[in-house]
Amino acid sequence: MIKLGVNIDHIATLRQARGENFPSLLKAVAICEKAGADSITTHLREDRRHIQDRDVFEIKECMRTRLNFEMSACDEIVNIALKLQPYSVCIVPEKRQELTTEGGLDVEGQKAHLQEVVKKLQGKGIIVSMFIDAKENQIQACADIKANAVEIHTGKYANLFKSGKEKAQEELEKIKQSAILAKQNNLIFNAGHGLDYNNVSDICEIKNLNELNIGFSIIAQAVFDGLEKAVSDIKKILLNY
Ligand code: PXP
């Protein structure tokens, strides 16, 4: 069974837009869990544009499933993660001006620093994942620094899929190859970014896939259908695999 991680950052985006204390993230977590989410993902960005420090501690306190904490590898956020002690973290690259996480982390290019960060986090019993592009050298680098997991950035696949399923085949193949390589290196294999109700099925065909992290499409759909239905509709697709 492929697990579903629901990223609730954009519920916080809505809240921050008016500086109010609603919509409530804790209520959102409870609804996502009821609807079948296996984990909840939040990204405490360095610029705090959506999720705030208080949110992650409150969510961890109240939730019933697992907290997956997306984070950059800068000292400030690493220290928060060490205090928070989420079930898992996913280390992502961060650029201040980007709309969303635009590409994978260059693990190969910063192995020494990331190895230190991985060791510190694992020392607190946290499972550490790296958000990377579907590239052999990056998977190898993740294995070298002894990360527990990789999350493959599916953004390129999702963009190509918009012009037709066939156009996305080559990228899908790269993701499949990454899954094979991850297995050979004993890395847990997760994926996410840009996935939605239409493009997720082909990704679900990938063997050895542990968990998908999906955010924007679910929260957007929730505007029309409500959060519970938006989550359970995507969960139903994942349950077929
Ligand atoms: N996984 C990671 C590591 C991400 O950074 C994001 C975006 O915050 C997602 C998954 C979810 O992407 P989307 O919101 O496009 O579903």
Side-chain angles (χ1 to χ4, degrees), residues 5 7 9-10 41-43 45 50 68 70-71 90-93 100-102 130-132 151-155 191-196 212-219:
N7 181 318
D9 291 349
H10 295 305
T41 295
T42 58
H43 184 177
R45 291 187 68 102
H50 38 52
N68 178 42
E70 265 182 42
M71 55 179 275
C90 181
I91 300 186
V92 303
T100 180
T101 315
E102 282 163 1
M130 299 280 156
F131 191 44
I132 56 169
E151 178 171 334
I152 297 296
H153 194 310
T154 49
H193 210 283
L195 297 178
D196 62 28
L212 293 176
N213 283 309
I214 308 180
F216 188 75
S217 63
I218 293 177
I219 307 308

Coordinates of all heavy atoms in Angstrom, one line a residue, residues 5 7 9-10 41-43 45 50 68 70-71 90-93 100-102 130-132 151-155 191-196 212-219, ligand 1:
G5 N 1.0 11.2 2.4 CA 1.3 12.4 3.3 C 0.7 13.6 2.7 O 0.8 13.9 1.5
N7 N 0.3 17.6 2.6 CA 1.1 18.8 3.0 C 0.0 19.9 3.2 O -0.7 20.3 2.3 CB 2.0 19.1 1.8 CG 2.8 20.4 2.1 OD1 2.3 21.4 2.6 ND2 4.1 20.4 1.7
D9 N 0.7 23.1 4.1 CA 1.2 24.5 4.1 C 0.2 25.5 3.6 O 0.2 26.6 4.1 CB 2.5 24.5 3.1 CG 3.6 23.8 3.7 OD1 3.6 23.4 4.9 OD2 4.6 23.5 2.9
H10 N -0.5 25.2 2.5 CA -1.4 26.2 1.9 C -2.6 26.5 2.7 O -3.3 27.5 2.3 CB -1.6 25.8 0.4 CG -0.3 25.9 -0.3 ND1 0.5 27.0 -0.3 CD2 0.4 24.9 -1.0 CE1 1.6 26.7 -1.0 NE2 1.6 25.5 -1.4
T41 N 2.5 16.7 6.4 CA 3.8 17.4 6.1 C 3.6 18.9 6.3 O 2.6 19.5 5.8 CB 4.2 17.1 4.7 OG1 4.5 15.7 4.6 CG2 5.4 17.8 4.2
T42 N 4.6 19.5 6.9 CA 4.6 21.0 6.9 C 6.0 21.5 6.6 O 7.0 20.8 7.0 CB 4.3 21.5 8.4 OG1 5.2 21.0 9.3 CG2 2.9 21.2 8.8
H43 N 6.1 22.6 6.0 CA 7.4 23.1 5.6 C 7.6 24.4 6.4 O 6.9 25.4 6.0 CB 7.5 23.3 4.1 CG 8.8 23.8 3.6 ND1 9.0 24.0 2.2 CD2 9.9 24.2 4.2 CE1 10.3 24.5 2.1 NE2 10.8 24.6 3.3
R45 N 9.4 27.3 6.4 CA 10.4 28.0 5.5 C 11.2 29.0 6.3 O 10.7 29.6 7.3 CB 9.6 28.7 4.3 CG 9.0 27.7 3.3 CD 8.5 28.5 2.2 NE 9.5 29.0 1.4 CZ 10.0 28.6 0.3 NH1 9.5 27.5 -0.3 NH2 11.0 29.2 -0.4
H50 N 4.3 30.7 5.3 CA 3.0 30.1 5.6 C 3.1 29.5 7.0 O 2.5 30.0 8.0 CB 2.6 29.1 4.6 CG 3.6 28.3 3.9 ND1 4.5 27.5 4.5 CD2 3.9 28.1 2.5 CE1 5.3 26.9 3.7 NE2 4.9 27.2 2.4
N68 N 5.9 14.9 9.3 CA 7.0 14.9 8.4 C 7.3 16.4 8.2 O 6.5 17.2 7.8 CB 6.6 14.3 7.0 CG 7.8 14.4 6.0 OD1 8.9 14.2 6.3 ND2 7.4 14.7 4.8
E70 N 9.3 19.3 6.6 CA 10.2 19.8 5.5 C 11.0 20.9 6.0 O 10.5 21.9 6.6 CB 9.3 20.2 4.4 CG 9.0 19.2 3.3 CD 8.2 19.8 2.2 OE1 8.5 20.9 1.8 OE2 7.3 19.1 1.8
M71 N 12.3 20.9 5.6 CA 13.2 22.0 6.1 C 14.4 22.2 5.2 O 14.8 21.3 4.5 CB 13.7 21.5 7.5 CG 14.3 20.1 7.5 SD 14.9 19.7 9.2 CE 16.5 20.4 9.2
C90 N 12.3 16.0 5.8 CA 12.7 16.0 4.4 C 13.5 17.3 4.2 O 13.0 18.4 4.3 CB 11.5 15.9 3.5 SG 12.0 15.8 1.8
I91 N 14.8 17.1 3.8 CA 15.6 18.3 3.6 C 15.5 18.7 2.2 O 15.6 18.0 1.2 CB 17.1 18.0 4.0 CG1 17.1 17.6 5.5 CG2 18.0 19.2 3.7 CD1 18.5 17.4 6.0
V92 N 15.1 20.0 2.0 CA 14.8 20.6 0.7 C 15.7 21.8 0.5 O 16.2 22.4 1.4 CB 13.3 21.0 0.6 CG1 12.4 19.8 0.9 CG2 13.0 22.2 1.6
P93 N 15.9 22.2 -0.8 CA 16.6 23.4 -1.1 C 15.7 24.6 -0.9 O 14.5 24.4 -1.0 CB 17.0 23.3 -2.5 CG 16.0 22.4 -3.1 CD 15.5 21.5 -2.0
T100 N 7.6 28.0 -5.1 CA 7.5 26.7 -4.4 C 8.9 26.1 -4.5 O 9.8 26.7 -5.2 CB 6.4 25.8 -4.9 OG1 6.4 24.6 -4.2 CG2 6.6 25.5 -6.4
T101 N 9.1 24.9 -4.0 CA 10.5 24.2 -4.1 C 10.7 23.8 -5.5 O 10.1 22.9 -6.0 CB 10.5 23.0 -3.1 OG1 10.0 23.4 -1.9 CG2 12.0 22.6 -2.9
E102 N 11.6 24.6 -6.2 CA 11.6 24.4 -7.6 C 12.4 23.3 -8.2 O 12.3 22.9 -9.3 CB 12.1 25.8 -8.3 CG 11.0 26.8 -8.3 CD 11.5 28.2 -8.5 OE1 12.8 28.4 -8.6 OE2 10.7 29.1 -8.5
M130 N 15.9 13.1 1.8 CA 16.4 14.2 1.0 C 15.5 14.3 -0.3 O 15.3 13.4 -1.0 CB 17.8 13.8 0.4 CG 18.9 13.5 1.5 SD 19.5 15.1 2.1 CE 20.0 14.6 3.8
F131 N 15.2 15.6 -0.5 CA 14.3 15.9 -1.7 C 15.2 16.1 -2.9 O 15.9 17.2 -3.0 CB 13.5 17.1 -1.4 CG 12.4 17.4 -2.3 CD1 11.6 16.5 -2.8 CD2 12.2 18.8 -2.7 CE1 10.5 16.8 -3.7 CE2 11.1 19.1 -3.6 CZ 10.3 18.1 -4.1
I132 N 15.2 15.2 -3.8 CA 16.2 15.3 -4.9 C 15.5 15.0 -6.3 O 14.4 14.5 -6.3 CB 17.3 14.2 -4.8 CG1 16.8 12.8 -4.6 CG2 18.3 14.6 -3.6 CD1 17.8 11.7 -4.7
E151 N 13.2 11.5 -1.4 CA 11.9 11.9 -1.9 C 12.2 12.5 -3.3 O 12.9 13.5 -3.4 CB 11.2 12.9 -1.1 CG 9.8 13.3 -1.7 CD 8.9 14.2 -0.8 OE1 9.1 14.1 0.5 OE2 8.1 15.0 -1.3
I152 N 11.7 11.9 -4.3 CA 12.0 12.3 -5.7 C 11.1 13.5 -6.1 O 9.8 13.4 -5.9 CB 11.9 11.1 -6.7 CG1 12.9 10.1 -6.4 CG2 12.1 11.6 -8.1 CD1 14.4 10.5 -6.5
H153 N 11.6 14.5 -6.6 CA 10.9 15.7 -7.0 C 10.1 15.3 -8.3 O 10.8 15.1 -9.4 CB 11.9 16.8 -7.3 CG 11.2 18.2 -7.4 ND1 10.2 18.5 -8.2 CD2 11.5 19.4 -6.8 CE1 9.8 19.7 -8.1 NE2 10.6 20.3 -7.2
T154 N 8.8 15.3 -8.3 CA 8.0 14.9 -9.4 C 7.5 16.1 -10.2 O 6.6 16.0 -11.1 CB 6.8 14.0 -9.0 OG1 6.1 14.7 -7.9 CG2 7.3 12.7 -8.5
G155 N 8.0 17.3 -9.9 CA 7.5 18.5 -10.5 C 7.7 18.5 -12.0 O 6.8 19.0 -12.7
A191 N 8.0 10.2 -3.0 CA 8.0 11.1 -4.1 C 6.9 12.2 -3.9 O 6.0 12.0 -3.0 CB 7.6 10.4 -5.4
G192 N 7.1 13.3 -4.5 CA 6.1 14.4 -4.4 C 6.4 15.6 -5.2 O 7.6 15.8 -5.6
H193 N 5.5 16.5 -5.3 CA 5.5 17.8 -5.9 C 4.7 17.8 -7.2 O 5.0 17.0 -8.1 CB 6.9 18.3 -6.2 CG 6.9 19.8 -6.1 ND1 6.4 20.6 -7.1 CD2 7.3 20.7 -5.2 CE1 6.5 21.9 -6.8 NE2 7.0 21.9 -5.6
G194 N 3.6 18.6 -7.2 CA 2.8 18.8 -8.4 C 1.9 17.6 -8.7 O 1.3 17.5 -9.8
L195 N 1.8 16.7 -7.8 CA 0.9 15.5 -8.1 C -0.5 15.9 -7.8 O -0.8 16.7 -6.9 CB 1.3 14.3 -7.2 CG 2.8 13.8 -7.5 CD1 3.1 12.7 -6.5 CD2 2.9 13.3 -8.9
D196 N -1.4 15.3 -8.7 CA -2.8 15.6 -8.5 C -3.7 14.4 -8.9 O -3.1 13.3 -9.1 CB -3.2 16.8 -9.4 CG -3.0 16.6 -10.9 OD1 -3.0 15.5 -11.3 OD2 -2.7 17.6 -11.6
L212 N 3.7 9.1 -0.9 CA 3.6 10.3 -1.7 C 3.2 11.5 -0.8 O 2.3 11.4 0.0 CB 2.6 10.1 -2.8 CG 2.9 9.1 -3.9 CD1 1.7 8.9 -4.8 CD2 4.1 9.4 -4.7
N213 N 3.9 12.6 -1.1 CA 3.5 13.8 -0.3 C 2.8 14.8 -1.3 O 3.4 15.2 -2.3 CB 4.8 14.5 0.3 CG 5.2 13.8 1.5 OD1 4.4 13.5 2.4 ND2 6.5 13.4 1.5
I214 N 1.6 15.1 -1.0 CA 0.8 15.9 -1.9 C 0.1 17.0 -1.1 O -0.4 16.8 -0.1 CB -0.3 15.0 -2.6 CG1 0.3 13.7 -3.2 CG2 -1.1 15.8 -3.6 CD1 -0.7 12.8 -3.9
G215 N 0.2 18.2 -1.7 CA -0.3 19.4 -1.0 C -1.3 20.2 -1.8 O -2.5 20.2 -1.7
F216 N -0.7 21.0 -2.8 CA -1.5 22.0 -3.4 C -2.8 21.5 -4.1 O -3.8 22.2 -3.9 CB -0.6 22.7 -4.5 CG -1.2 23.9 -5.1 CD1 -1.3 25.1 -4.3 CD2 -1.8 23.9 -6.3 CE1 -1.9 26.2 -4.9 CE2 -2.4 25.0 -6.9 CZ -2.5 26.2 -6.1
S217 N -2.7 20.4 -4.8 CA -3.9 20.0 -5.5 C -5.0 19.6 -4.5 O -6.2 19.8 -4.8 CB -3.6 18.8 -6.4 OG -3.1 17.7 -5.7
I218 N -4.6 19.0 -3.4 CA -5.6 18.6 -2.4 C -6.3 19.9 -1.8 O -7.5 20.0 -1.7 CB -5.0 17.8 -1.3 CG1 -4.5 16.4 -1.8 CG2 -6.0 17.6 -0.1 CD1 -3.8 15.5 -0.8
I219 N -5.5 20.8 -1.4 CA -6.0 22.0 -0.8 C -6.9 22.8 -1.8 O -7.9 23.3 -1.4 CB -4.9 22.9 -0.2 CG1 -4.0 22.1 0.7 CG2 -5.4 24.1 0.6 CD1 -4.6 21.3 1.8
Ligands
PXP1 N1 7.3 17.3 -1.3 C1 8.2 18.3 -1.0 C2 9.5 18.0 -0.6 C3 7.8 19.7 -1.2 O1 8.6 20.7 -1.0 C4 6.4 19.9 -1.6 C5 5.9 21.3 -1.8 O2 6.0 22.0 -0.6 C6 5.6 18.8 -1.8 C7 6.1 17.5 -1.6 C8 4.1 19.0 -2.2 O3 4.0 19.6 -3.5 P1 2.6 20.1 -4.0 O4 2.2 21.1 -3.1 O5 2.9 20.5 -5.3 O6 1.7 18.9 -4.0

